[in-house]
Amino acid sequence: MPQPPSKMRIAVLVSGGGTNLQAMIDKSAAGVLLADIAVVLSDRPDAYGLTRAGKAAIPAYCVDYKSMKAEGARIDAEGKFPVDLDELDRRQKILRNPDGAERRRRLAGLVHAEREMARIIDSYQVDYVCLAGFMRLVTPWFIGHYNTGGARRILNIHPALLPSFPGQHGYEDTFAYGCKWGGITVHFVDEGEDTGPIIAQAVYPILPDDDTDKVRARGLQLEYEVYSQVINWLSGGFVILDEFPDGRTRVSVTDPAYRETLKSWMHLVDPA
Ligand code: GRF
């Protein structure tokens, strides 16, 4: 008898509350997320996302970046680091400290932690790695480990309408700038800071009596919808990525229901 196609498998990386993870868990339980959350990882032991995963019986791990940092630097100091950190430093675009030795220490710590993350993730054989409030830089080592054969396999959700307001404070920066519309972005991760190819974006109005909390609450409602939708599009083979010789990229979504989906996101935040 023919078997039904097996569902896509994802790893979700969190650092904190994990409400995006919870939205995925709920949608998965409701049968509207076309992927299994195979494993959840955090860079810190107190991330509530780990508890959420545990409650949903999803394997959950902490790779404690704090302790990995010192250990990575120690292994490098002993000359035993298994990755060429000089070459990595030439490729990386995020650590900007002019002190080369300090950059190398940071890289050693990050890569040491990433190797452990990858060891765990790979034992679950996932199709995509989804950053969902994962507040660590990812190095070219991690990106190269998952982006093989021309495919991109790491996703991120960013709380602003990229390329505006990259960095860790998307909602605060959008509101403080006086924007009248804010937005959220799901993108493939590349070696820059929130610069990877954009897959989906949605916008919400910022109203006269708003504050940062209201703006964040409105944006998060969109995050929950859009991230799951992107995973479903990937699962359905609806995400096409063109890469041009000059380095530009463009993602097209070929879902026949694309326009209806966009309209539904707009109704979700209708100011009326
Ligand atoms: C979200 O706003 C996400 O866009 C950003 O970090 C936040 C994580 O929230 N990268 P949560 O942990 O999913 O509640």
Side-chain angles (χ1 to χ4, degrees):
M1 237 177 52
Q3 295 293 310
S6 62
K7 264 201 209 160
M8 196 168 90
R9 291 164 65 77
I10 59 172
V12 182
L13 274 49
V14 300
S15 291
T19 61
N20 272 284
L21 167 67
Q22 188 65 53
M24 290 178 196
I25 292 171
D26 294 345
K27 286 179 190 296
S28 181
V32 292
L33 181 74
L34 307 179
D36 285 326
I37 306 169
V39 60
V40 170
L41 295 99
S42 164
D43 60 314
R44 39 190 298 167
D46 59 350
Y48 189 64
L50 291 173
T51 308
R52 293 183 192 274
K55 285 185 180 167
I58 298 168
Y61 299 83
C62 169
V63 173
D64 190 347
Y65 268 52
K66 245 189 188 162
S67 57
M68 297 301 269
K69 204 170 147 185
E71 207 177 310
R74 185 182 49 73
I75 297 170
D76 185 36
E78 288 169 1
K80 293 184 186 152
F81 206 80
V83 171
D84 182 347
L85 293 175
D86 285 331
E87 194 261 338
L88 209 58
D89 190 26
R90 281 192 290 276
R91 273 163 56 202
Q92 68 89 20
K93 296 180 183 159
I94 295 183
L95 301 179
R96 296 198 189 94
N97 191 327
D99 178 347
E102 182 48 36
R103 275 203 318 276
R104 191 181 167 104
R105 262 195 300 279
R106 279 282 311 275
L107 270 179
L110 286 171
V111 176
H112 186 55
E114 287 175 346
R115 281 166 49 84
E116 177 60 7
M117 302 273 278
R119 190 188 63 75
I120 298 168
I121 293 170
D122 293 351
S123 69
Y124 288 89
Q125 295 185 314
V126 302
D127 300 287
Y128 288 93
V129 176
C130 301
L131 313 186
F134 184 68
M135 306 309 255
R136 298 283 178 175
L137 303 176
V138 291
T139 75
W141 181 85
F142 192 77
I143 296 170
H145 184 78
Y146 287 105
N147 290 357
T148 53
R152 299 193 185 230
R153 295 200 176 82
I154 310 174
L155 307 174
N156 183 41
I157 184 148
H158 182 75
L161 201 62
L162 292 172
S164 292
F165 312 121
Q168 291 202 356
H169 306 289
Y171 289 125
E172 290 82 350
D173 294 345
T174 301
F175 182 68
Y177 198 86
C179 294
K180 302 299 178 254
W181 289 83
I184 62 110
T185 304
V186 177
H187 62 98
F188 288 114
V189 171
D190 74 0
E191 300 184 355
E193 187 180 26
D194 301 320
T195 53
I198 291 171
I199 307 170
Q201 294 185 302
V203 293
Y204 59 84
I206 298 176
L207 304 174
D209 58 352
D210 275 346
D211 54 29
T212 313
D213 288 342
K214 286 187 188 162
V215 162
R216 178 182 295 102
R218 206 170 291 136
L220 278 167
Q221 293 309 312
L222 284 172
E223 291 192 31
Y224 305 150
E225 286 303 312
V226 175
Y227 213 167
S228 293
Q229 181 63 67
V230 166
I231 291 165
N232 287 353
W233 280 335
L234 286 164
S235 173
F238 292 129
V239 178
I240 310 295
L241 173 69
D242 287 315
E243 311 214 22
F244 302 102
D246 64 1
R248 280 180 310 116
T249 57
R250 180 183 297 272
V251 171
S252 313
V253 176
T254 58
D255 181 359
Y258 186 64
R259 282 163 191 258
E260 290 312 310
T261 303
L262 257 51
K263 273 189 212 161
S264 73
W265 294 345
M266 288 175 187
H267 289 315
L268 205 65
V269 289
D270 194 342

